[in-house]
Amino acid sequence: ASRSVPVRGENNAATTRTKKITGRKRHVAVDTLGLVMMVVVHSASLQNHDGACFVLSRMKERFRRLQVVFADSAYGRNGLPGWVQEQFGWVLQTVLRPVGVKGFVVLPKRWIVERTFAWLARYRRTTRDYEKTNLSSEAFVHLAMIRLMAIRLARP
């Protein structure tokens, strides 16, 4: 059976003139249940293409049976699908909006990652950029998911 994983990035806080802070992006790969498999946090000055390369490179060692990766339409640019096929042998399939549809549309596979970001937003340390380093920011994403999984396992 093929395994698939949705990947998407999120701008946590872009650089603003009023706040005088630099932003970070979180790129998250989740399984079909929405549980985090891999997270990469980097500065907001890097493009989504670069963040996806970081995530997928880290995933190569852990998830060897992976065959299909679903991604946001932003990851379909700059030759990323071809690079993923060449480097890892995986198919990077972008989830596109239906043609001619206006307004909000629930996109298949993409809502799984959006739901994960909503779960992460419920935890104080992952809602805003409190951390000094990218590694500690990644660690708090993992801690939030560990707490979420522990609560689910403890239910009768």
Side-chain angles (χ1 to χ4, degrees):
S2 68
R3 295 187 64 195
S4 62
V5 56
V7 177
R8 189 176 94 62
E10 174 190 56
N11 273 337
N12 199 6
T15 304
T16 63
R17 293 181 187 186
T18 56
K19 293 183 181 181
K20 306 282 189 206
I21 60 169
T22 57
R24 290 188 180 151
K25 286 185 182 178
R26 287 188 285 193
H27 294 270
V28 176
V30 299
D31 63 4
T32 55
L33 297 175
L35 302 176
V36 172
M37 295 169 60
M38 188 65 57
V39 60
V40 172
V41 178
H42 61 77
S43 69
S45 63
L46 295 176
Q47 299 297 317
N48 286 342
H49 171 273
D50 300 324
C53 292
F54 294 143
V55 170
L56 296 171
S57 295
R58 285 190 189 176
M59 289 178 60
K60 180 183 179 183
E61 297 300 320
R62 281 198 186 153
F63 306 103
R64 295 190 176 143
R65 293 184 348 183
L66 193 65
Q67 294 179 359
V68 179
V69 177
F70 293 100
D72 192 354
S73 60
Y75 294 105
R77 301 181 193 125
N78 298 332
L80 185 61
W83 181 82
V84 170
Q85 179 69 40
E86 180 183 305
Q87 293 292 318
F88 311 115
W90 302 337
V91 175
L92 181 70
Q93 185 176 349
T94 56
V95 180
L96 303 173
R97 285 180 54 88
V99 177
V101 176
K102 294 184 180 180
F104 176 76
V105 177
V106 177
L107 299 176
K109 304 291 183 201
R110 184 171 167 182
W111 68 270
I112 298 169
V113 180
E114 299 296 337
R115 181 181 60 186
T116 302
F117 280 123
W119 291 339
L120 291 173
R122 293 175 44 196
Y123 297 95
R124 183 178 64 86
R125 295 294 289 262
T126 57
T127 56
R128 294 204 171 61
D129 198 11
Y130 293 115
E131 310 309 317
K132 290 189 179 209
T133 65
N134 293 342
L135 288 177
S136 63
S137 186
E138 289 175 14
F140 274 102
V141 170
H142 287 294
L143 285 173
M145 291 308 295
I146 289 169
R147 184 175 187 277
L148 179 74
M149 289 186 284
I151 289 170
R152 288 182 181 180
L153 287 172
R155 288 185 189 156

